[in-house]
Amino acid sequence: MKPYKTLRLRSGAVSLLIHRKSVRIMFGLLLACLVVAIVSTGLGEMVISPINVVRSLFGADAEEHTMVIQKIRLPRIIISLLVGASLAAAGAILQGIIRNPLASPDIMGVTGGASVGAVTFLTYFLGVFSIRWLPVAAMLGAAIVSIVLYALAWKKGVTPVRLVLVGIGLAGLMSAATTMMIVFSPTNDARQVYLWLTGSVYAANWENVLTVLPWTVILIPLAFLLARHVNIGQLGDDIAASAGSAVEWNRLLLLFISVALAGSAVSVAGGIGFVGLIAPHMARKLVGSSFENVLPVAVLLGGTVVMLADLIGRTLFLPLDIPVGVFTSMVGAPFFIYLLYTKRNS
């Protein structure tokens, strides 16, 4: 039996090689993700058994269970899944096009741009416009930073090294701008901003789900279809160009996809850090470096990680509800240091 499964459109425009081992890992992670979602939906101040959770999803359980699950917990679980998947996909794309395992939306300044957009809205425009415009402000901030990033990194083309260096500088600048606005904002606004910046899916609702869902279901498959351009880019710009790949155009398109995914996630869940760094790295450990294998595995890992972080945050310290970003940072910061150390000694 061949170790690879070929996926090819009739036109030949898209051709992908999926390792059979990767398929098995994907199904295993999908099952694990489903189990975590069901268990997480049933846990809280009111404990509901997994069987009753499944029954409630079909409207066959007690009315109070159905209300708690469908109105309160299920939107929160789905938001955790979508946000984790989007951040993981954004990180996988950035690491692929920059050819650096240390790249992620938060380290490259994309998340910082979204945070500046959101904090600006919360501080200066919340009394003027509805809170429903917060996602737009966050995505606009991410988009502006990405444009500045690409413009500053351009010098007869954009190289991965310049993208990383400029991105780290912009991340520091966005962090300083955010802190400055918090210092000069009223106390009540500062508390709300701090909670948002930490990263939380508290009080998520179906409107939040509908905000993130279109970006996730459209852009992640699009990135998957562009996998061969990411793979050939791993060989270097000169080789990719000689093989017929439009290097700059593909890099710009993939950067836009990454920014849109990260911006949509941050717009509803705040600055959840390190998911875009951890999930792609774990995926490469499991399935190798081929992007068409890395992306779906990273997406499933990212969604599962954020759901687990949310489950721990809202059940382990009852009646307190600890933001998701606290736990992702507790894991992600040491992981980032470990990557720096291994990269320096490699």
Side-chain angles (χ1 to χ4, degrees), residues 329-339:
S329 295
M330 286 174 62
V331 175
F335 187 81
F336 181 64
I337 294 171
Y338 164 76
L339 285 180

Side-chain angles (χ1 to χ4, degrees), residues 184-209:
F184 286 100
S185 65
T187 304
N188 291 334
D189 292 343
R191 289 174 181 172
Q192 186 176 4
V193 168
Y194 269 123
L195 178 62
W196 189 90
L197 287 174
T198 304
S200 174
V201 293
Y202 178 77
N205 54 48
W206 289 110
E207 185 176 337
N208 299 140
V209 173

Side-chain angles (χ1 to χ4, degrees), residues 18 21 40 52 91 118 128 146-148 170 192 204 212 241 264-265 317 332 338:
I18 309 294
K21 175 187 174 183
S40 182
N52 287 334
V128 181
S146 67
I147 293 171
V148 173
L170 284 176
Q192 186 176 4
V212 182
S264 64
F317 302 96
Y338 164 76

